[in-house]
Amino acid sequence: MSKESLSSIYEVQKFSWIWIVLVLMLGTLLRLYDLGTESYWSDEMYTVYEVQQTIPQVIESGRLDQPPGYYIPFHFWVQIFGLSEAGTRSFSTLAGVASIFILYLVGKELFGHGVGLLSAFLMSISEFQIYYSQTARFYSLFEFTTLLSFLFFILSLRRKQYLYFILNGAASIFMVYSNVFGLFVLAAQNLFSFLYWKKYKEMAVAWLACQVLIVLAMAPYFYPLLFGASGVEDAAVLNIGNIPPPSLLHPFYAMYRFLLPFRRESGWDLVFVSYAIAGTLLLAGTWFYASRQEKSSWIDSARGSLSSLDDVTELSEKLVLLGFWLLFPILLPFIVSILMIPIYKVYYTINAAPALYLLLALIMVHARKAVPLLVSLGTVTIMIVPGLVYFYVTDFNPQVRDAAKYVYESPDSGDLIVYVPDGDFGFQNDIEQRLFEWYYEGALPGCSMVGWLKDDVSISGALTQCIAGHDRFWVVIPDSQTESSIRYKSFFLDPGQGAMQLIKEEKFIGLSTYLFELKK
C-alpha cells in the first residue's frame, strides 16, 4: 500500500475519532445537565432502598424483572458517590454515555464509520435515552449490556475467534441478570444463528457451548423464580407487577419514543410546528441541492443512491440481524402480553432502540447522493430538539421534596400523614410513604393505605384504622391516572363527605397534599 493511501486512511480515522469524541461530549453534557434537580419518584425510591441492603439480601430479594445484575454494581457505586439524586442517577448516566460509544463501535463494525457516528449522534440527542440515563433505574445498564452482547456476537461471527464467543457469553449473562427481558435478545441472536448456520457452521460448537454456558449461569437464579411453588404465571404477577395489557399501537409507540419527543403536557402544537419546519427543510434543501445541478445529473445521483441500496441488499444478512434486534425485544413481550399475561412496558424495550438508530443512520448515509446528509440530519434534529428543550425546562417527576417541605413548614400542623398508593402493586404499597419520608424532616408518624380497596366503604374502614386516635391528618395523593389514585381522590374530595372536613390543600407537580379534620 502506498504512503498516500496510508496517509488517507489515517486522516479518515483521525477525524472519525474526533467526531465521536465530540458526540460523546454532547451526550455527556445532555445527560449531566440538571441531573439532581428533580425529586426521586417512586420507582427510583424502590431502587434506593433496595441498594442499601447487603449483597446477600440483594440477591435474595431480587425480582424477575430486576435481578441482581444491576443492584450489585450499583451497590458499590453508591458506597462511593452516595445516595443523593445526582449520586445515584450518575450510574445510569455513565451507562448511557458508554452505550453511545458501544453503538458507534457496532455501527462501524457493520457499516463503517459514517453509520456508526450518525447512529451514536441520534442516540446522544434522544430524549428517551437522556431521560433513562437520568433515572436511578436499571434501564440504561440493560441497554448497555445488550449493546455489549451484540458487539461481541457480531465480532465472534465475523472474526471467528473464541475470545469473542466468551465475551459474548459473559455480556449476555450480564444482560439477562440486568433484566430478564434480555431473553428476547438471546432469542433474536439464536434465530439469526440458526438461519445462517451454513455460513458459520465451523463455529457451531463454540456457539452452542456459549449458549449452554448462558443457560447454566441463569438457572440458579431464575429457575426458582419461574418454576417455584407459585408457577410461571403467578411468578410473573408477583415479580413484574400488575401491568395493564398493551394496545395494538404500543409497538409503534415504542419506536416513535426511541427517537422523537414525548408530547407530555405541551400539547401537539409544538410537535406539529417542529415537524412542519423539518418537512420544509427536507423539501427545500433537497430542491436547492437538485437545482444546483442539472436535472439529469441529480436524477443520476438519485439513481446512484438506489444503486447503493442495491449494494445494501447484498448485506441482507446484516439487515436481518438489525431487524431481529429491533423487533424481537418489542414484539415478543407484546405477543406474550396478548396471549398469556401482560408484561409489556415501553421502557422494557429500550434495548431495541439502538437498532432503530443504526437503520436510520444507514438510510441517511446511502441516500446522501439524492438528499444531502446535512439536510437529512438537520431534518431529524429539528424534529427532536424542540421536545428536548421542553424536557429540560419542565419538571416531570412528582416534586415530593417541595411537598414534604410544605407539610413540615406548615403552621397548620396535623397529627398524622396518610399516604395514598400510586397503584395496586402489593410489593410496594408503602413506597409512597418511604418516598415522602425521604425528604420530610418532621416527626409526624405516617400510615400507608393499600391500593386494592375498591369502594368507599372499604376505604373508610381502612382510614378509620389508620387515623385511630388522631383528629387532624394530612393526606398525600399522587396526581396520576391510576385507578388507585383516582379512587382515593374521589373518596377524600367528595363534597358529601360527612365524617371529615377539608381545611387546606396545596398542589404540586405530580402530587397534592390535603389537611383534614374530623368533624366533632
Side-chain angles (χ1 to χ4, degrees):
M1 185 177 291
S2 66
K3 292 182 179 181
E4 291 78 5
S5 298
L6 288 172
S7 176
S8 176
I9 293 174
Y10 171 75
E11 289 297 322
V12 170
Q13 292 180 342
K14 182 179 72 172
F15 281 107
S16 295
W17 282 109
I18 291 174
W19 280 112
I20 190 56
V21 168
L22 292 175
V23 168
L24 288 172
M25 290 175 61
L26 174 65
T28 302
L29 290 173
L30 291 175
R31 284 154 178 76
L32 288 177
Y33 183 76
D34 268 356
L35 183 62
T37 301
E38 293 195 61
S39 308
Y40 285 127
W41 58 291
S42 56
D43 280 9
E44 287 185 303
M45 195 78 266
Y46 183 87
T47 302
V48 170
Y49 272 90
E50 189 83 3
V51 79
Q52 294 181 71
Q53 301 179 101
T54 64
I55 296 299
Q57 289 173 329
V58 166
I59 295 174
E60 183 179 349
S61 63
R63 294 169 47 226
L64 194 60
D65 64 329
Q66 300 176 40
Y70 168 75
Y71 285 103
I72 290 176
F74 187 46
H75 174 86
F76 294 105
W77 179 271
V78 298
Q79 304 303 312
I80 300 172
F81 296 98
L83 293 169
S84 68
E85 291 88 347
T88 56
R89 291 169 180 165
S90 57
F91 183 73
S92 296
T93 299
L94 177 64
V97 174
S99 294
I100 297 173
F101 181 66
I102 302 300
L103 178 59
Y104 164 74
L105 295 180
V106 172
K108 181 173 73 73
E109 184 67 27
L110 287 175
F111 305 109
H113 290 280
V115 172
L117 185 62
L118 277 177
S119 58
F121 174 74
L122 293 175
M123 175 179 271
S124 72
I125 65 171
S126 164
E127 178 202 319
F128 184 81
Q129 297 291 335
I130 294 170
Y131 177 78
Y132 288 109
S133 291
Q134 292 189 332
T135 301
R137 295 291 283 164
F138 58 85
Y139 312 115
S140 190
L141 183 70
F142 179 43
E143 183 176 43
F144 170 69
T145 54
T146 298
L147 278 160
L148 280 180
S149 177
F150 266 106
L151 175 63
F152 294 130
F153 175 73
I154 293 165
L155 290 173
S156 65
L157 296 181
R158 300 191 71 181
R159 307 288 174 82
K160 296 179 172 60
Q161 296 179 12
Y162 291 110
L163 173 63
Y164 292 120
F165 282 99
I166 296 172
L167 292 174
N168 169 253
S172 297
I173 293 168
F174 191 9
M175 172 184 67
V176 177
Y177 270 93
S178 296
N179 189 291
V180 71
F181 282 62
L183 291 173
F184 301 124
V185 171
L186 295 180
Q189 293 179 1
N190 277 280
L191 180 58
F192 178 86
S193 300
F194 177 77
L195 290 178
Y196 293 94
W197 73 272
K198 288 184 179 180
K199 181 176 180 179
Y200 301 109
K201 59 183 178 181
E202 70 273 18
M203 305 302 294
V205 173
W207 175 249
L208 289 174
C210 181
Q211 303 314 300
V212 170
L213 175 65
I214 293 172
V215 171
L216 291 176
M218 291 167 46
Y221 182 83
F222 289 102
Y223 185 86
L225 285 176
L226 286 170
F227 302 104
S230 299
V232 175
E233 186 170 332
D234 286 344
V237 173
L238 291 171
N239 287 276
I240 296 178
N242 186 19
I243 296 176
S247 72
L248 294 177
L249 294 178
H250 270 85
F252 301 99
Y253 174 72
M255 287 186 274
Y256 173 90
R257 285 292 291 118
F258 290 162
L259 186 67
L260 298 174
F262 187 29
R263 179 173 62 87
R264 301 189 191 271
E265 293 81 6
S266 62
W268 284 106
D269 295 347
L270 177 65
V271 176
F272 284 147
V273 167
S274 64
Y275 289 0
I277 295 173
T280 301
L281 172 64
L282 179 63
L283 294 174
T286 303
W287 176 84
F288 179 77
Y289 177 73
S291 66
R292 301 273 295 180
Q293 308 177 54
E294 295 182 1
K295 182 178 179 181
S296 59
S297 177
W298 183 80
I299 292 175
D300 289 340
S301 297
R303 287 174 177 171
S305 296
L306 293 176
S307 65
S308 68
L309 291 177
D310 288 339
D311 295 336
V312 172
T313 59
E314 297 178 5
L315 304 176
S316 60
E317 177 186 326
K318 298 175 183 178
L319 296 179
V320 168
L321 177 62
L322 287 187
F324 286 176
W325 184 354
L326 175 62
L327 296 177
F328 274 49
I330 297 176
L331 292 184
L332 290 185
F334 176 80
I335 293 171
V336 170
S337 298
I338 297 297
L339 299 180
M340 298 176 62
I341 181 172
I343 62 171
Y344 183 93
K345 283 287 190 179
V346 170
Y347 41 73
Y348 287 156
T349 68
I350 188 172
N351 59 337
L356 180 63
Y357 306 139
L358 286 167
L359 286 170
L360 289 174
L362 182 65
I363 293 171
M364 291 165 65
V365 167
H366 280 272
R368 68 186 184 279
K369 294 181 180 179
V371 181
L373 192 57
L374 188 61
V375 171
S376 59
L377 188 59
T379 299
V380 174
T381 302
I382 289 173
M383 295 175 72
I384 295 174
V385 168
L388 199 56
V389 172
Y390 184 76
F391 169 78
Y392 281 114
V393 300
T394 308
D395 291 331
F396 298 115
N397 289 352
Q399 294 307 295
V400 183
R401 182 193 295 115
D402 296 338
K405 182 178 180 181
Y406 170 78
V407 171
Y408 173 68
E409 296 179 348
S410 176
D412 300 312
S413 178
D415 301 325
L416 177 76
I417 304 176
V418 176
Y419 301 95
V420 170
D422 193 18
D424 301 336
F425 303 109
F427 56 81
Q428 57 176 19
N429 266 320
D430 66 341
I431 197 64
E432 306 300 333
Q433 179 175 350
R434 293 186 182 189
L435 176 58
F436 196 90
E437 291 178 350
W438 182 265
Y439 296 103
Y440 179 60
E441 298 178 1
L444 291 181
C447 178
S448 290
M449 303 292 282
V450 294
W452 55 77
L453 301 179
K454 301 296 183 182
D455 54 66
D456 287 357
V457 174
S458 300
I459 293 175
S460 179
L463 179 64
T464 300
Q465 294 182 6
C466 195
I467 63 174
H470 301 281
D471 296 325
R472 292 162 63 95
F473 55 93
W474 291 93
V475 178
V476 180
I477 304 180
D479 286 337
S480 68
Q481 295 303 310
T482 63
E483 181 182 349
S484 174
S485 177
I486 294 172
R487 189 166 58 244
Y488 272 99
K489 186 172 290 187
S490 174
F491 170 81
F492 280 106
L493 300 183
D494 182 1
Q497 185 64 255
M500 55 190 178
Q501 62 181 1
L502 178 63
I503 297 175
K504 63 188 298 186
E505 66 179 288
E506 189 70 26
K507 295 184 179 298
F508 301 89
I509 295 174
L511 75 163
S512 298
T513 58
Y514 305 91
L515 181 62
F516 288 94
E517 185 174 52
L518 294 180
K519 293 181 180 180
K520 304 297 184 180

